[in-house]
Amino acid sequence: MILRLIYSTLILSNVNFLTECFPLKNYVSPPSFINRVSCKSTIEKDTFSMPNSLDEISNQALNNLYNSFQDNLKRLKVDILVPGLNPKLENSAPYNTGLLLAFLHSLLSAFKQFKSVKVLFSSAGDAGLALKTFSDMKWEKHNSEFGFLSENIAESNGTEAIIIVKPINSVGDPVILEVEKISTTLPKATIVLMNSDLEEKVALGIIERDRRTNFLKTFKQAYYFRNLVVITRPSMVPIEKGGIVYMHNHGWGVFSFDIRKSNYGPGSLNRYMNQGVYKRDMTDPTSKYPPKFYLIEKFKQEPTKEQISSCIEYSFQYINKIGIQEASEKSSSVDSVEEAKLIMKEASLSSKAHHEEKIINAIFFLENYNKKGRSDRKKFNDIEKSKPDFEELTKGKGLWKLTLLLRNSKNLTGKINYVPFISAVQYFNAEGVNENGIYILGRPLVKFLGFFEWNEVTSRLTFGYNKQQILGWTFSVGKQKSKGVPGFNMFCIEGGENGYIIGRGNTGGIALWRRVNNLD
């Protein structure tokens, strides 16, 4: 394989080639969406997607909670674990009660259908803080009353729905027992747990543990969102890698972006906070300019840590397939010489083909343009540049590095291959001397030494080699056996610091070289 690569690059002419607890005033809930909650037909249009801002999360959570009510589900969970609400990120993003209450305000809009709604907090202090916040912010409570878990709730009070905010089990305080008591007292009421953590924190007997586990299983997820991050050391700052989403009637999904092309800093997480705390780079995405997320995999049950890690680790394989499909569906037409040359300039500076169809179209556009007669070229207003500029070949150091090969390209088809790792370089000087070699760390591995000739009329570059050099040892070579004289029909020679040349070889393959200043 190595020999094939070496010779296909040498004898190119013959290749086949969120923060403070407040201020809340920085957060604005989405009234335009809340005003539509009674319109079920609008809400049903919600799609399974990765949210990129607080408003989008609020919309999705409200949407899915409402749709769960429409399906007569009585025991539900809504979890929104953005920075500031995710306990595992409290080292870098302090818990933001204000943001939690802002989401609560939004979710209450889905409870308009209930005549009596109770909003319960873990303590009387939390309930009092929430009441004061709603009053200060002039937020509508939508027929709800605020209270706390240890209150006596009797069935006779006519409560139809209860939302329990941030119920968390802790050592010596099993809140799950209070939740279970409410469920037993009001069996017909709709109960929603918001940002709950009712997993056991102490060891229990098998019977009691199973009883509590079975009780928790009666609550079905209506909505879930959590950022997927990697914690960097030693700074312990989270770096965004994707997200996990659950939506009613859609299931669980792991989303990610192309981690090969995007290396975001912690500032990208600021778009999920009402007041950013992470240092932001200019290249970090915002809610206005978010990254493009892809659904990597869907799950019927909440994915495990191992499944999530696997999705992120191998996300590039799926994204690569999607990218190819999108590229094929997107128009790749090239409409002008300027556009074609810009495409090829970018291709010459790249090490991987990201828009292969467009590159191929640009190559054929330039080749056909070069074939046209002067009368046909008038419509391009580019008569003076109708022929490749031969003198550019020998300007500067005269070094041209092979960048890509297009094999079997007789029509608008073919496979682009970028030349990796090694340096395959052509050298031309004004005296007609040509050297064609493979270099590693600036040192020649194999070189062919000889001459070249240029045909001004046909723009054909031909080669003749009489010496071969391997690891510094020089040998004379005999007459070359090939279909005609080895060479390329050069149909584009662009000068300048980022110059490049394109030509078609004897066997139909097309090669692209770019100007370089050294042999590395």
Side-chain angles (χ1 to χ4, degrees):
M1 182 176 179
I2 295 177
L3 287 175
R4 184 194 302 178
L5 177 60
I6 291 175
Y7 279 93
S8 64
T9 53
L10 286 172
I11 312 299
L12 295 173
S13 56
N14 292 295
V15 295
N16 285 315
F17 342 117
L18 153 94
T19 124
E20 300 170 351
C21 181
F22 290 92
L24 275 169
K25 294 181 180 179
N26 289 341
Y27 181 78
V28 179
S29 61
S32 60
F33 181 87
I34 293 174
N35 291 337
R36 302 202 307 267
V37 295
S38 60
C39 181
K40 184 177 179 182
S41 61
T42 300
I43 292 179
E44 284 183 334
K45 293 181 180 179
D46 204 19
T47 58
F48 194 43
S49 62
M50 172 77 178
N52 269 300
S53 68
L54 295 178
D55 281 348
E56 289 184 14
I57 296 172
S58 179
N59 291 349
Q60 287 187 352
L62 180 57
N63 245 340
N64 288 275
L65 183 58
Y66 178 86
N67 288 332
S68 298
F69 290 161
Q70 300 308 301
D71 287 341
N72 297 316
L73 297 179
K74 296 292 186 178
R75 300 291 185 265
L76 296 164
K77 294 192 296 182
V78 173
D79 295 292
I80 302 172
L81 301 177
V82 295
L85 297 183
N86 188 341
K88 294 184 179 180
L89 298 180
E90 286 189 26
N91 286 335
S92 58
Y95 201 87
N96 190 332
T97 303
L99 181 57
L100 178 68
L101 295 178
F103 279 121
L104 171 63
H105 169 236
S106 175
L107 291 177
L108 283 176
S109 299
F111 289 79
K112 287 182 178 181
Q113 61 185 293
F114 302 104
K115 295 179 180 179
S116 176
V117 180
K118 277 278 190 179
V119 181
L120 301 181
F121 297 84
S122 296
S123 67
D126 289 343
L129 175 61
L131 273 173
K132 185 178 187 305
T133 300
F134 270 65
S135 176
D136 291 345
M137 298 299 295
K138 298 180 180 180
W139 284 346
E140 176 63 49
K141 295 197 297 179
H142 302 293
N143 300 322
S144 65
E145 296 180 11
F146 286 20
F148 53 97
L149 282 173
S150 59
E151 284 184 317
N152 183 27
I153 299 178
E155 185 175 5
S156 59
N157 64 13
T159 301
E160 294 183 354
I162 300 172
I163 179 168
I164 305 177
V165 182
K166 196 186 173 186
I168 298 177
N169 269 354
S170 58
V171 178
D173 185 18
V175 173
I176 186 173
L177 298 180
E178 293 290 342
V179 176
E180 189 175 11
K181 180 181 177 180
I182 293 171
S183 298
T184 304
T185 305
L186 301 172
K188 295 181 180 181
T190 296
I191 301 177
V192 178
L193 304 181
M194 180 182 180
N195 280 27
S196 62
D197 181 7
L198 298 178
E199 298 296 329
E200 293 305 327
K201 302 298 189 293
V202 296
L204 296 172
I206 296 176
I207 295 177
E208 179 62 14
R209 183 190 63 196
D210 290 345
R211 188 186 66 79
R212 295 185 184 186
T213 300
N214 290 332
F215 169 69
L216 289 178
K217 288 181 179 179
T218 64
F219 286 84
K220 306 303 180 183
Q221 204 78 44
Y223 180 75
Y224 184 99
F225 173 75
R226 173 166 58 92
N227 299 103
L228 295 177
V229 302
V230 171
I231 305 298
T232 59
R233 297 179 183 274
S235 63
M236 302 303 290
V237 173
I239 302 298
E240 182 179 18
K241 294 298 179 182
I244 178 170
V245 179
Y246 177 88
M247 297 179 68
H248 181 64
N249 291 333
H250 286 283
W252 296 86
V254 175
F255 292 81
S256 186
F257 47 79
D258 195 336
I259 58 178
R260 300 168 302 169
K261 301 179 183 178
S262 308
N263 188 20
Y264 300 133
S268 67
L269 291 170
N270 287 341
R271 70 185 190 278
Y272 295 104
M273 310 171 73
N274 63 343
Q275 184 174 331
V277 298
Y278 298 113
K279 182 178 179 181
R280 182 180 179 276
D281 293 331
M282 293 299 294
T283 57
D284 287 342
T286 63
S287 57
K288 186 176 181 180
Y289 302 103
K292 183 174 182 179
F293 282 97
Y294 298 85
L295 174 59
I296 305 303
E297 190 169 349
K298 294 186 70 174
F299 299 87
K300 292 182 179 180
Q301 303 295 329
E302 181 176 2
T304 64
K305 291 181 180 180
E306 291 75 17
Q307 288 173 324
I308 294 173
S309 297
S310 180
C311 285
I312 299 303
E313 182 178 357
Y314 297 103
S315 60
F316 70 92
Q317 295 180 351
Y318 175 81
I319 293 173
N320 184 53
K321 292 181 181 178
I322 293 298
I324 293 173
Q325 292 174 5
E326 290 179 347
S328 63
E329 294 171 359
K330 185 178 180 180
S331 174
S332 298
S333 62
V334 178
D335 303 316
S336 67
V337 175
E338 291 74 17
E339 181 185 6
K341 289 184 176 181
L342 180 59
I343 292 170
M344 296 314 300
K345 179 179 179 181
E346 293 175 352
S348 71
L349 298 174
S350 176
S351 60
K352 185 171 291 186
H354 299 304
H355 303 286
E356 189 165 305
E357 287 187 13
K358 212 167 185 68
I359 293 174
I360 293 174
N361 287 342
I363 289 174
F364 282 96
F365 187 97
L366 290 173
E367 185 175 35
N368 290 333
Y369 167 71
N370 184 66
K371 290 178 180 178
K372 293 179 180 291
R374 290 181 61 87
S375 60
D376 292 330
R377 296 193 188 110
K378 289 182 179 179
K379 63 181 179 181
F380 293 103
N381 295 318
D382 197 19
I383 297 175
E384 298 303 321
K385 297 180 181 179
S386 60
K387 289 287 185 180
D389 185 1
F390 164 71
E391 294 184 358
E392 285 293 338
L393 279 177
T394 60
K395 285 185 178 180
K397 294 185 178 181
L399 298 174
W400 300 87
K401 181 178 179 180
L402 183 66
T403 302
L404 65 81
L405 305 169
L406 179 59
R407 300 179 178 181
N408 303 325
S409 49
K410 295 294 184 181
N411 301 307
L412 286 176
T413 59
K415 173 68 176 178
I416 289 179
N417 293 287
Y418 275 78
V419 179
F421 311 123
I422 62 174
S423 295
V425 181
Q426 292 267 14
Y427 165 72
F428 304 97
N429 70 13
E431 284 72 40
V433 174
N434 171 239
E435 295 181 4
N436 191 355
I438 298 292
Y439 296 84
I440 298 178
L441 299 178
R443 295 183 178 276
L445 178 61
V446 179
K447 290 172 65 176
F448 284 86
L449 314 176
F451 59 91
F452 71 93
E453 294 180 353
W454 175 258
N455 188 311
E456 187 69 28
V457 177
T458 63
S459 300
R460 179 166 175 78
L461 184 69
T462 56
F463 308 96
Y465 299 112
N466 50 35
K467 293 183 180 180
Q468 182 177 2
Q469 192 176 89
I470 302 177
L471 298 177
W473 294 83
T474 303
F475 307 90
S476 296
V477 296
K479 185 176 180 182
Q480 300 165 354
K481 296 180 180 180
S482 61
K483 297 179 181 180
V485 180
F488 279 88
N489 293 319
M490 311 300 290
F491 54 87
C492 185
I493 300 178
E494 283 294 295
E497 182 179 355
N498 295 318
Y500 59 88
I501 55 179
I502 313 174
R504 183 185 289 276
N506 288 358
T507 59
I510 291 177
L512 166 69
W513 297 263
R514 63 181 173 88
R515 188 192 298 277
V516 293
N517 293 318
N518 54 64
L519 298 172
D520 294 338

